[in-house]
Amino acid sequence: MDAVSCFEKKTDDTIAFVDLKRQHEECATDIETVVQSVLARGAFILGEEVRKFEQEFAAVCGARHCVGVGSGLDALFLAMKGLGISAGDEVILPANTFIATALAVTHTGATPVLVDHDPHSWNIDPRRIRQAVTSRTRAIIPVHLYGRPADMDAIVAIAEELNLDVIEDACQAHGAAYRGRCVGSIGRAAAFSFYPGKNLGAAGDAGAVVTNDAELAEWLRRARNYGSHVKYHHGMLGFNSRLDNLQAAILRAKLPHLARWNERRRLIAEQYREGLRDLPIHLPEEAADSQHVFHLFVIRCEGRDAMLNFLKSRHIDAGIHYPVPIHHQPAYADGCVTRGPLTYTEMFADHLLSLPIHPHLTDGEVQRVIAAVHEFCEARGAVYKVVQRSRRDVLPTVASRPADSAALAPTGAPQP
Ligand SMILES: Cc1ncc(COP(=O)(O)O)c(C=O)c1O
């Protein structure tokens, strides 16, 4: 989740982590028109805008159904409830994700089982999933983290073999594609968040479930609305989690910009890759078979906190996604299990740094970020030389990855 403070402009020349003011300037006329129209009609709950947005967003995802709900957390939670996931079940997810992925599992009564990610894609490692499966496992949640699609072919193959559901957490990956297929259309269901700072963001909280499963979509339409299809008739114990008409209208006004904004994010990522490639930092690897949408541009570096502070001193907002893995959060002191070593999750948490990559950054601002990172690395040159010599101990390369036989051996009982 992007901190709200990121949205506040601190000084005139601050490079904001997310700049919703500039985004609004680009679509202000369209948004003001549709907002006025909804206000004038006085139709706020489950109206025409919601229905149209659901159709349009389903089409963007290449899926048959979209059901708008209150948030990304609700989308994950309701999708799992609709699939019958409940107490006694286990759901496997990556340890490095926003806490909402785990919370959604917990709120169904099931247990989140955290596994490590792959050090190249930084997405959930399918081999770790296979190891973590028990007779209680019901589903897998691959998170398309930072906007890069997870290894869906391998994940779907495991799920089909073991009869598990796949619920994509696409909250950071609007418009991303994996081997020619849009994320959101690959698993049994997918959850999207339209939190304001997302690649497609509302003017408040909002989310959606996307699915090809007509029965699940029908269940979700009732579940989000007090379990009701006909007013005051309740066939099930439902919830109140409706995408509201104003948010849907705003999302419809922004949706035509999504592809271009994502393209701009990719161009900025290219500039970062080019400008930072000689420095002793790890850059996100190319995803040859997928379309990354760079919700975040996350690097790995030594002296992360010092770099963060240095960038701040240069009026550049950066972030950390995420500083504390879920299993170290006090909220999850006893509520989740980890399976298999979390080598990369543990090792990366202190080294991750997200550079600003919103689509309204100017080329000049991107160059300012690159120059500041250079300046920082040059100032710490001596330290970096030491780090580079001992890099195998500090930042694992593929070669230093534990051999499959050892690292992927059966793990036995869940670790607390
Ligand atoms: C990976 C991931 N999952 C789930 C969520 C939850 O979305 P929301 O904030 O709309 O509830 C987020 C949002 O920050 C997210 O980044």
Side-chain angles (χ1 to χ4, degrees), residues 19-345:
D19 199 327
L20 296 180
K21 203 164 159 276
R22 285 188 196 172
Q23 188 195 77
H24 186 68
E25 277 158 16
E26 190 184 340
C27 356
T29 313
D30 289 346
I31 289 177
E32 279 153 23
T33 306
V34 295
V35 166
Q36 279 307 324
S37 157
V38 171
L39 293 175
R41 281 181 277 154
F44 299 112
I45 305 290
L46 290 183
E48 191 62 9
E49 299 291 337
V50 172
R51 204 179 50 73
K52 287 187 176 154
F53 174 71
E54 288 175 339
Q55 281 172 357
E56 290 162 4
F57 194 65
V60 164
C61 297
R64 281 200 273 279
H65 311 279
C66 168
V67 181
V69 296
S71 68
L73 171 63
D74 282 4
L76 282 165
F77 165 72
L78 290 170
M80 280 187 275
K81 282 293 268 188
L83 293 171
I85 291 167
S86 60
D89 293 335
E90 291 181 350
V91 177
I92 298 171
L93 58 133
N96 183 32
T97 177
F98 180 54
I99 196 168
T101 320
L103 282 178
V105 177
T106 302
H107 292 323
T108 65
T111 302
V113 175
L114 309 179
V115 302
D116 212 358
H117 57 264
D118 172 88
H120 299 285
S121 66
W122 304 7
N123 272 321
I124 192 166
D125 185 338
R127 293 174 299 175
R128 299 287 183 206
I129 296 175
R130 189 175 278 284
Q131 280 191 332
V133 170
T134 68
S135 57
R136 294 191 299 281
T137 308
R138 275 291 318 276
I140 305 164
I141 308 185
V143 180
H144 305 303
L145 195 69
Y146 310 146
R148 177 180 169 141
D151 185 357
M152 293 305 290
D153 279 353
I155 293 166
V156 169
I158 295 170
E160 282 175 356
E161 183 191 326
L162 303 172
N163 198 24
L164 308 174
D165 279 322
V166 174
I167 298 132
E168 298 172 65
D169 182 337
C171 289
Q172 301 187 357
H174 316 67
Y178 172 81
R179 298 191 173 154
R181 297 168 71 193
C182 298
V183 306
S185 66
I186 306 170
R188 179 93 184 265
F192 286 88
S193 162
F194 304 117
Y195 179 79
K198 300 297 188 197
N199 291 32
L200 179 66
D205 279 310
V209 180
V210 167
T211 181
N212 287 320
D213 181 332
E215 209 178 310
L216 175 63
E218 193 49 31
W219 184 92
L220 288 163
R221 285 184 206 289
R222 278 186 290 139
R224 72 176 170 183
N225 189 29
Y226 295 110
S228 166
H229 254 334
V230 177
K231 204 165 186 183
Y232 304 132
H233 292 264
H234 307 274
M236 61 182 281
L237 299 174
F239 304 86
N240 178 2
S241 182
R242 302 171 292 214
L243 174 61
D244 78 58
N245 223 24
L246 262 178
Q247 296 302 347
I250 291 167
L251 288 167
R252 288 190 70 212
K254 290 187 183 181
L255 188 56
H257 299 271
L258 176 64
R260 194 171 31 84
W261 286 342
N262 282 344
E263 195 46 45
R264 175 72 188 142
R265 287 174 185 269
R266 276 193 287 273
L267 282 173
I268 295 169
E270 273 319 302
Q271 291 179 41
Y272 278 149
R273 254 199 255 284
E274 180 60 27
L276 301 174
R277 67 183 173 171
D278 295 329
L279 298 178
I281 57 182
H282 284 258
L283 300 172
E285 288 182 26
E286 296 271 8
D289 56 357
S290 57
Q291 183 91 308
H292 195 324
V293 291
F294 288 100
H295 174 58
L296 298 168
F297 189 92
V298 180
I299 63 172
R300 263 193 304 135
C301 58
E302 282 300 306
R304 187 272 312 278
D305 292 340
M307 190 184 297
L308 188 72
N309 287 332
F310 182 82
L311 292 175
K312 203 166 271 174
S313 76
R314 294 291 181 273
H315 300 169
I316 296 167
D317 278 345
I320 300 173
H321 299 85
Y322 294 89
V324 182
I326 292 169
H327 58 291
H328 293 315
Q329 296 283 356
Y332 271 114
D334 330 293
C336 63
V337 297
T338 62
R339 267 200 206 130
L342 297 182
T343 315
Y344 297 110
T345 304

